[in-house]
Amino acid sequence: MKRLMALLAVLLVASFALIAADEPLQPGTVIEKGIASWYTSDKSESLTANGEIFDPNTLSAAHKSLKFGTIVRVTNLANGKSVDVRINDRGPYVDGRIIDLTPAAAKQIDMLKSGISSVDLTLIFEPEVPESKYNRAGDTGWYQIQVGAYSSLLTAYAQYDRLLNAGLKPYAEQLPDSQAVRLTVRWVPAYQLDRTMKALSALGFAEKNVLKKSEVNPYR
């Protein structure tokens, strides 16, 4: 037991020291570049992913991971036109596309006819509390990813070391009433989720075998 507690103390100190490795994004930062598209709904009063009614006339958009209520400036790289949109939905679900705009937003940057355009996304505002009627993994804008629980201290330490060397932020804790050690990758901002999942996959942690949970914002 003393050995377990000593090892956990070392791992926990290392985990907390890693929190400050990534600074939060600042307004005015270009956070992503890729292909934008636009979407609409054939059904009246369809709901967006945050529980709002979809309105094609609002300046809003769907993004795969940004916190609901985040405002980004979408700049059409073909003509320099831009529009500020509020994230209230998830998508797009087509490879290579980074944001789905409402028809009104697409019209603002003159991509309604073309359907798609190369754009960059600039962060304008990120709310402290997500603007969502639900409470699901990542709705805080941050993730923690549980990768496993290990009865062997040596195995837990080896896996912790692999995660650490991959540039991730592993966190170790002893399970209640157990000798097992649970390993979690913590403090993952939404914009780094895809990169983190690819890193975990390369280490042998398949996405289907890990558990994503909401995480507290370490900068608040």
Side-chain angles (χ1 to χ4, degrees), residues 8 45 55-56 70 83 85 115 122 134 136 142 162 176 179 215:
L8 282 175
E45 297 191 350
D55 184 349
T70 297
V83 61
V85 297
T122 301
Y134 308 113
R136 296 161 300 196
W142 293 79
R162 292 178 68 225
Q179 295 272 337
E215 175 68 285

Side-chain angles (χ1 to χ4, degrees), residues 50-99:
N50 75 338
E52 298 176 358
I53 295 176
F54 176 79
D55 184 349
N57 298 310
T58 61
L59 299 180
S60 59
H63 190 275
K64 294 176 183 177
S65 58
L66 287 175
K67 188 187 300 184
F68 292 133
T70 297
I71 297 174
V72 294
R73 178 163 296 154
V74 184
T75 301
N76 187 338
L77 298 180
N79 57 27
K81 294 183 178 181
S82 62
V83 61
D84 292 353
V85 297
R86 174 176 165 271
I87 304 301
N88 68 348
D89 207 355
R90 290 294 178 231
Y93 298 106
V94 176
D95 288 344
R97 299 186 185 181
I98 62 171
I99 195 166

Side-chain angles (χ1 to χ4, degrees), residues 21-56:
D22 287 322
E23 291 298 322
L25 290 175
Q26 298 298 317
T29 303
V30 175
I31 58 175
E32 204 169 1
K33 293 184 178 182
I35 301 297
S37 51
W38 64 269
Y39 75 122
T40 189
S41 176
D42 295 329
K43 299 179 181 179
S44 62
E45 297 191 350
S46 294
L47 297 181
T48 61
N50 75 338
E52 298 176 358
I53 295 176
F54 176 79
D55 184 349

Side-chain angles (χ1 to χ4, degrees), residues 30-211:
V30 175
I31 58 175
E32 204 169 1
K33 293 184 178 182
I35 301 297
S37 51
W38 64 269
Y39 75 122
T40 189
S41 176
D42 295 329
K43 299 179 181 179
S44 62
E45 297 191 350
S46 294
L47 297 181
T48 61
N50 75 338
E52 298 176 358
I53 295 176
F54 176 79
D55 184 349
N57 298 310
T58 61
L59 299 180
S60 59
H63 190 275
K64 294 176 183 177
S65 58
L66 287 175
K67 188 187 300 184
F68 292 133
T70 297
I71 297 174
V72 294
R73 178 163 296 154
V74 184
T75 301
N76 187 338
L77 298 180
N79 57 27
K81 294 183 178 181
S82 62
V83 61
D84 292 353
V85 297
R86 174 176 165 271
I87 304 301
N88 68 348
D89 207 355
R90 290 294 178 231
Y93 298 106
V94 176
D95 288 344
R97 299 186 185 181
I98 62 171
I99 195 166
D100 253 342
L101 306 177
T102 59
K107 186 177 181 179
Q108 289 270 338
I109 59 172
D110 198 20
M111 58 161 280
L112 199 57
K113 291 183 179 179
S114 62
I116 60 172
S117 183
S118 295
V119 301
D120 63 30
L121 307 182
T122 301
L123 180 67
I124 302 300
F125 168 77
E126 183 184 45
E128 181 174 353
V129 178
E131 297 173 0
S132 175
K133 297 182 179 180
Y134 308 113
N135 182 23
R136 296 161 300 196
D139 274 0
T140 60
W142 293 79
Y143 289 83
Q144 57 174 296
I145 305 168
Q146 182 178 315
V147 298
Y150 305 92
S151 57
S152 166
L153 285 178
L154 291 178
T155 300
Y157 181 80
Q159 295 287 37
Y160 182 98
D161 198 48
R162 292 178 68 225
L163 294 168
L164 185 64
N165 289 333
L168 302 173
K169 303 182 184 68
Y171 182 89
E173 58 184 333
Q174 183 181 359
L175 293 175
D177 302 319
S178 172
Q179 295 272 337
V181 176
R182 176 167 55 203
L183 289 184
T184 307
V185 174
R186 297 194 61 182
W187 307 292
V188 179
Y191 73 95
Q192 288 188 354
L193 179 62
D194 286 345
R195 185 173 69 180
T196 301
M197 294 309 302
K198 288 178 182 178
L200 287 173
S201 179
L203 292 173
F205 300 101
E207 185 165 1
K208 65 179 181 180
N209 296 327
V210 302
L211 179 62

